[in-house]
Amino acid sequence: MASDWNWENGEGLLGLDSPAEWDAAYERGERRLGTAAIGLAFNCPLREASPRILRAMRLPDPAQRGFAYTAAGTAARLNGELTPELYAALRAEGHHGIAAAAVDDTLDYVPFRQLPPWFKWRTVASKAEDKLKTWHLTLTYATEDARNTLRRRRS
């Protein structure tokens, strides 16, 4: 299968199913390790993919780090759980920026009762934030409708 993995342009890396190949590429200093981490999330057990995803989260290239966080979100979607180390890495990054989508995937696909405390808190806080945004938009639309009605009456 190694012939299907093109480290130069990334072709085929989403099909990567060999943690040993990822490790060898890491040692060689290949550029597309974050992309390959997504492949591991798709094709390997969580316990095997997790250490590689964590290493990819520390890559110097911001784009590849972003793909590593995507891999964490993918792992949460596919497995309905994460390893304690992945939970810790997502918590350390926070629910914004590069980790926002991965945290959202974790909140959406891991059962609430299985989430660590910080993620449970984020679930509640996120729902409260969404409710406040909804109320704000409702008030904004009502104000705009009232203004439009007054303008039509004046003309």
Side-chain angles (χ1 to χ4, degrees):
M1 179 91 180
S3 62
D4 294 340
W5 304 320
N6 187 329
W7 291 98
E8 199 54 42
N9 67 14
E11 190 173 322
L13 291 179
L14 292 179
L16 184 68
D17 59 358
S18 170
E21 175 64 24
W22 193 96
D23 292 339
Y26 183 81
E27 293 302 320
R28 290 191 308 266
E30 296 288 355
R31 298 179 332 160
R32 304 200 188 278
L33 291 163
T35 305
I38 297 172
L40 291 177
F42 276 124
N43 301 303
C44 292
L46 179 61
R47 297 282 174 213
E48 291 180 21
S50 176
R52 282 89 185 170
I53 294 169
L54 288 164
R55 273 190 261 159
M57 287 176 170
R58 295 185 297 270
L59 291 170
D61 179 5
Q64 291 303 308
R65 271 197 322 271
F67 289 138
Y69 283 95
T70 299
T74 300
R77 284 173 175 254
L78 294 174
N79 299 292
E81 66 178 343
L82 291 176
T83 62
E85 298 83 9
L86 284 173
Y87 284 125
L90 291 177
R91 180 175 185 224
E93 191 64 33
H95 193 186
H96 58 276
I98 197 168
V103 171
D104 285 339
D105 285 347
T106 302
L107 298 179
D108 289 343
Y109 291 94
V110 176
F112 183 82
R113 68 188 171 283
Q114 293 177 3
L115 290 170
W118 182 83
F119 285 87
K120 288 180 179 178
W121 176 85
R122 275 310 311 153
T123 299
V124 173
S126 182
K127 291 192 183 309
E129 290 166 0
D130 288 347
K131 182 55 83 176
L132 287 172
K133 287 176 187 175
T134 300
W135 289 344
H136 179 262
L137 284 174
T138 301
L139 185 65
T140 301
Y141 294 147
T143 303
E144 187 64 29
D145 288 346
R147 283 185 186 150
N148 289 338
T149 299
L150 286 174
R151 284 184 188 139
R152 276 183 293 210
R153 286 186 181 172
R154 288 184 187 161
S155 3

